[in-house]
Amino acid sequence: MAFSAFATGTAKEQAPRRKSRIALLLLLPGILYLMLFFLVPLVSLVITSFQQPIPFGDIGEYQTAFKWENYVDVVNTYGEHIFRSFGYAILATIFALLFSYPLAYFIGVTARRWPLVQNLMLVLVIAPFFISFLLRTLAWKSLLSDESFVISGLKALSLMAPDAHFTGTPAAVIFGLTYNFIPFMTLPLYSTLERLDTRLLEAGSDLYSKPSMTFFKVTVPLSMSGIVSGVLLTFIPAAGDYINASRDFLGGTGTQMIGNVIESNFLVTLNYPAAAALSIILMAVILVMVTVYVKRSGTEDLL
Amino acid sequence: MMQGSLSRRTVLQGAGLGASALLLAACSSGTAPKPAAAVDKSDTQKSLRFDSRDTYRNTTGEDFPLLSSFTDSTSIEVTYSNAVSDDNVYYSKVKNQLKMGQDIGADACVLSEWMAARWINLGYLQEIEREKITNFENVRLQFQNATFDPGRRFSLPWRSGFTGIAWNKAAIPGGLTTVSDLWDPALKGKVGVMSAMRDTLGLIMLDAGVDISDASWGDAEFSAAVNTLRDQVNSGQIQSIKGNKYKEDLKNGTTVAAIARVGDIMQINQEAGDQWDFAIPQPGGVLWSDVAVIPIGSTHRGNAETFVNFYYDRAHAVKVAAETSFISPIDVRQPEIGTIPQDLARNLMIFPSEATFKTTKSFRTLTQGEEQRYGAQYQTVLLGAS
């Protein structure tokens, strides 16, 4: 859905009037693919979320039922984690946007005169992604551990209390999420700003508009599709992320997100109905939030 | 027009029916009969796939020396994998194949005793031909039997160790003697504990005077230990709860004291200088054990038995114990013990005396209901939920 922001065409193609067997035949692989790899797993997930344990069965053995209480249980037990996940994801998205917008503007608009700089900066944005997500997060963990030069330096400058930690705190998790999703914000923004007609900015200036007013009245509306795409591409995976908040990476016991709870229920306690119910809740909340956001930002055609 | 519409509907109906069939297959449940053991092909196929843990492998040389000499003497090629870093994760990966009696990609694997107990209960293991393991007589008496596997028909002792308390000698010169010492306000935010339930809660329960090996304790004692842990986490006394990575926190100074396994402490002392000390706490420490098992779908049971028998040779066992710093199940004596450096031979944490063993307890086998209930309760602490 959000990927349509990268498309350049705006005119709606007229639907073909005749329905041929060949067209249906060509559609068949796509339909089967969606059935097998989207619809069936989705329905299976919904069914799992209502399952109940088999009496006297093995750990991890469940039978089909309509145990809607699973949803109540997970919300009661992990409600805090659900709110925390969306809180962290919203903050990480805001920080990524604040960081990426000037960067994308520089690459896409200011650096147009220097194609070499433009290409080099784009490579710099993408280059860290040639290294594994896990390794990058582990590297940050080392850089931000108590004995690291960064934290030791901050403590030496009295900017941090001597017994304070950074890893294991919400700030560390939000930092990790922001860092890891910056390219997903920067690239859609760049793709929109790169097409920005700078004559419109000149026109704004000619009409005695302040630069800030030109920015908010011209640049931002024209780059809205990039902003929306970037926000969606950052927010959706960030809300379900379980690496940054993991106790083995940047998180601690008090920073666990819904992804960590799903992982724990799925892999450790083998409580598949709870994991499935949490996954459905995660999906539903994301869907509602994204729909409201896209409607409010006036870019419904992205959906 | 009509024809096209019908065709589309037919296509969708067909796809819907297919999806429904798949869904029914996905939803099917019920208690299947216990799977049958696979046919052993060891006579014709000289290979063995062995899933174990990374810490059980000597990494100082080019490869695990025992494996090379085993292959030289038996012509059985061993593919050694570190796949079992976490019992729960490993089980969740292979449980469906086990249930259907299929090959899980390993002919033998090393599991914690409690996980082996679950597999035995479910019929997921092949019975071991004990006559083939002639060196079983070398196994220490206390490991020759287990409550979850009387007569050791399905599980063979592989490695053991002690869980106790460790601390940084420079940060805590006076040392620690009990688990309660970890809750000293002076150590606030500097304590780490292991995420392994039986290690951490086992020690906390022992500290509270509960005999963890005895069947007399139940929900009340377990909940009390969970509450102690939760309180210490919520108050900020405990800085981290981690799997194997708790060692890294000790090494980089994030924690200065921890609930730890003695083998891990010896390992980080070797890597980063002799900075940490370990003690079995006064009320008692935890004795944990791993066992080698042969999954139901293994087609090389005979080769696995040959491998375990080779490991049970006293000369081999003493070398592996010295190299990996874990307690061997083999009762090693002179002259084999004389083949390793004296400081290792005298180390009671690798070659414990009977008196040392008596200072520790093994966590009793939990019933299926307890396993599920306690596991879920413990996870809420790890996830910071109430």
Side-chain angles (χ1 to χ4, degrees):
Chain A
M1 49 182 186
F3 298 97
S4 60
F6 296 107
T8 48
T10 51
K12 283 190 178 175
E13 301 252 344
Q14 206 177 13
R17 273 177 234 154
R18 288 187 58 216
K19 290 163 184 164
S20 72
R21 285 171 181 276
I22 293 172
L24 283 171
L25 207 65
L26 290 171
L27 261 177
L28 197 61
I31 290 171
L32 282 177
Y33 182 91
L34 282 174
M35 285 278 182
L36 277 174
F37 301 113
F38 177 71
L39 197 62
V40 172
L42 182 69
V43 178
S44 174
L45 193 71
V46 174
I47 291 171
T48 305
S49 71
F50 290 108
Q51 284 182 336
Q52 65 182 19
I54 295 174
F56 309 107
D58 173 28
I59 292 171
E61 294 289 306
Y62 297 91
Q63 63 188 9
T64 309
F66 187 67
K67 199 178 172 211
W68 55 268
E69 295 92 336
N70 289 340
Y71 282 85
V72 179
D73 290 346
V74 295
V75 169
N76 283 340
T77 314
Y78 302 113
E80 191 185 343
H81 298 73
I82 296 169
F83 281 111
R84 186 184 292 146
S85 299
F86 290 108
Y88 286 0
I90 289 169
L91 285 172
T93 307
I94 292 169
F95 291 135
L97 179 63
L98 292 175
F99 182 88
S100 296
Y101 202 97
L103 183 65
Y105 189 89
F106 179 81
I107 303 171
V109 181
T110 316
R112 278 181 196 174
R113 286 164 282 173
W114 315 296
L116 186 66
V117 174
Q118 204 175 21
N119 291 334
L120 194 68
M121 298 259 326
L122 274 176
V123 169
L124 286 175
V125 170
I126 302 164
F129 287 77
F130 294 122
I131 300 166
S132 148
F133 184 92
L134 294 179
L135 286 179
R136 276 183 281 123
T137 315
L138 272 178
W140 275 115
K141 189 195 164 198
S142 299
L143 286 169
L144 301 171
S145 70
D146 286 6
E147 297 299 301
S148 68
F149 70 94
V150 178
I151 300 299
S152 305
L154 288 171
K155 286 180 179 175
L157 294 168
S158 299
L159 293 171
M160 266 181 92
D163 57 348
H165 308 283
F166 187 67
T167 51
T169 63
V173 178
I174 294 164
F175 172 83
L177 289 171
T178 307
Y179 166 78
N180 278 310
F181 291 107
I182 273 177
F184 295 96
M185 182 66 88
T186 308
L187 293 177
L189 281 173
Y190 161 76
S191 133
T192 320
L193 288 167
E194 192 240 347
R195 298 195 305 268
L196 181 74
D197 188 347
T198 50
R199 287 173 301 180
L200 296 171
L201 308 183
E202 287 168 20
S205 172
D206 290 347
L207 294 167
Y208 299 102
S209 166
K210 288 180 196 165
S212 59
M213 187 177 278
T214 311
F215 176 75
F216 286 112
K217 295 277 184 192
V218 179
T219 313
V220 170
L222 286 175
S223 57
M224 192 47 93
S225 63
I227 294 172
V228 174
S229 297
V231 165
L232 297 183
L233 289 173
T234 304
F235 175 76
I236 295 171
D241 184 77
Y242 66 97
I243 300 294
N244 289 283
S246 160
R247 292 190 310 275
D248 288 337
F249 289 86
L250 296 170
T253 313
T255 64
Q256 301 291 286
M257 292 170 67
I258 195 164
N260 304 98
V261 180
I262 293 170
E263 183 203 20
S264 167
N265 274 287
F266 198 86
L267 291 177
V268 181
T269 55
L270 307 183
N271 191 346
Y272 303 130
L278 283 164
S279 303
I280 299 286
I281 291 170
L282 178 70
M283 267 196 291
V285 177
I286 286 177
L287 201 64
V288 170
M289 288 178 83
V290 165
T291 308
V292 170
Y293 169 71
V294 171
K295 293 256 183 216
R296 286 186 70 91
S297 59
T299 47
E300 293 93 330
D301 55 326
L302 283 169
L303 287 173
Chain B
M1 183 81 175
M2 187 66 185
Q3 222 174 16
S5 170
L6 279 173
S7 298
R8 182 173 56 192
R9 196 171 296 163
T10 311
V11 168
L12 290 173
Q13 277 173 346
L17 281 172
S20 310
L22 282 164
L23 270 175
L24 284 172
C27 298
S28 67
S29 58
T31 44
K34 288 186 177 180
V39 176
D40 188 20
K41 296 176 183 167
S42 296
D43 288 340
T44 51
Q45 295 176 357
K46 296 292 175 193
S47 65
L48 175 68
R49 296 161 303 163
F50 194 74
D51 278 1
S52 184
R53 308 186 196 267
D54 57 348
T55 45
Y56 286 4
R57 193 170 186 172
N58 174 29
T59 51
T60 51
E62 272 186 14
D63 205 346
F64 197 28
L66 183 74
L67 292 184
S68 312
S69 57
F70 173 71
T71 303
D72 290 345
S73 61
T74 61
S75 305
I76 297 170
E77 288 286 340
V78 183
T79 308
Y80 192 102
S81 132
N82 299 330
V84 200
S85 57
D86 182 298
D87 289 274
N88 282 314
V89 174
Y90 188 72
Y91 178 60
S92 66
K93 283 179 188 164
V94 300
K95 71 185 281 274
N96 290 333
Q97 287 103 311
L98 285 170
K99 194 176 177 184
M100 291 184 281
Q102 292 175 351
D103 180 18
I104 63 163
D107 297 311
C109 57
V110 172
L111 301 173
S112 295
E113 278 191 331
W114 57 269
M115 182 57 82
R118 186 189 295 177
W119 289 29
I120 292 169
N121 189 38
L122 294 166
Y124 291 169
L125 295 177
Q126 293 193 30
E127 188 163 352
I128 293 152
E129 208 177 320
R130 281 279 301 283
E131 298 75 48
K132 280 184 133 185
I133 306 179
T134 51
N135 288 330
F136 189 80
E137 61 184 27
N138 295 341
V139 173
R140 281 173 182 265
L141 269 180
Q142 74 238 61
F143 293 123
Q144 285 197 2
N145 222 329
T147 50
F148 65 90
D149 183 20
R152 290 285 185 193
R153 289 166 57 218
F154 297 97
S155 66
L156 294 163
W158 191 253
R159 222 62 72 84
S160 295
F162 298 133
T163 304
I165 44 177
W167 63 93
N168 185 306
K169 290 191 274 191
I172 311 172
L176 304 171
T177 51
T178 68
V179 172
S180 299
D181 290 347
L182 293 170
W183 319 144
D184 181 347
L187 297 176
K188 188 169 181 178
K190 287 286 176 189
V191 176
V193 299
M194 298 175 66
S195 58
M197 181 178 85
R198 287 162 178 79
D199 293 70
T200 294
L201 289 186
L203 275 189
I204 293 174
M205 288 168 80
L206 282 164
D207 193 51
V210 178
D211 180 354
I212 56 168
S213 62
D214 195 81
S216 60
W217 66 266
D219 293 3
E221 289 80 2
F222 187 85
S223 294
V226 168
N227 289 337
T228 303
L229 182 66
R230 197 191 304 276
D231 290 345
Q232 299 304 332
V233 170
N234 292 346
S235 72
Q237 183 75 19
I238 292 173
Q239 160 64 15
S240 69
I241 309 179
K242 289 185 179 167
N244 281 334
K245 290 192 172 73
Y246 79 91
K247 294 180 286 184
E248 304 305 318
D249 283 349
L250 279 172
K251 275 169 82 174
N252 65 30
T254 302
T255 57
V256 295
I259 283 177
R261 289 186 167 184
V262 65
D264 293 335
I265 300 304
M266 285 191 232
Q267 199 180 61
I268 62 170
N269 271 332
Q270 275 177 2
E271 289 167 7
D274 189 22
Q275 295 183 51
W276 296 273
D277 222 336
F278 174 89
I280 293 172
Q282 265 177 9
V286 173
L287 170 67
W288 56 265
S289 294
D290 283 350
V291 290
V293 296
I294 301 170
I296 196 75
S298 164
T299 49
H300 299 99
R301 178 175 55 83
N303 292 344
E305 288 160 349
T306 309
F307 184 59
V308 176
N309 194 48
F310 183 85
Y311 168 63
Y312 279 178
D313 182 292
R314 284 199 170 98
H316 299 143
V318 75
K319 277 185 197 160
V320 176
E323 282 167 2
T324 57
S325 304
F326 289 103
I327 299 167
S328 171
I330 301 301
D331 187 11
V332 285
R333 303 168 184 168
Q334 291 292 354
E336 291 86 14
I337 199 95
T339 60
I340 59 166
Q342 273 206 343
D343 59 324
L344 284 175
R346 287 180 184 161
N347 191 328
L348 289 172
M349 297 293 122
I350 307 175
F351 300 104
S353 63
E354 288 307 314
T356 313
F357 270 120
K358 280 184 181 159
T359 62
T360 62
K361 299 276 185 190
S362 296
F363 205 94
R364 78 166 163 86
T365 309
L366 300 176
T367 64
Q368 204 159 286
E370 285 175 332
E371 182 96 42
Q372 199 144 22
R373 223 166 43 245
Y374 295 169
Q377 203 177 343
Y378 183 59
Q379 283 302 312
T380 60
V381 182
L382 303 193
L383 292 167
S386 50

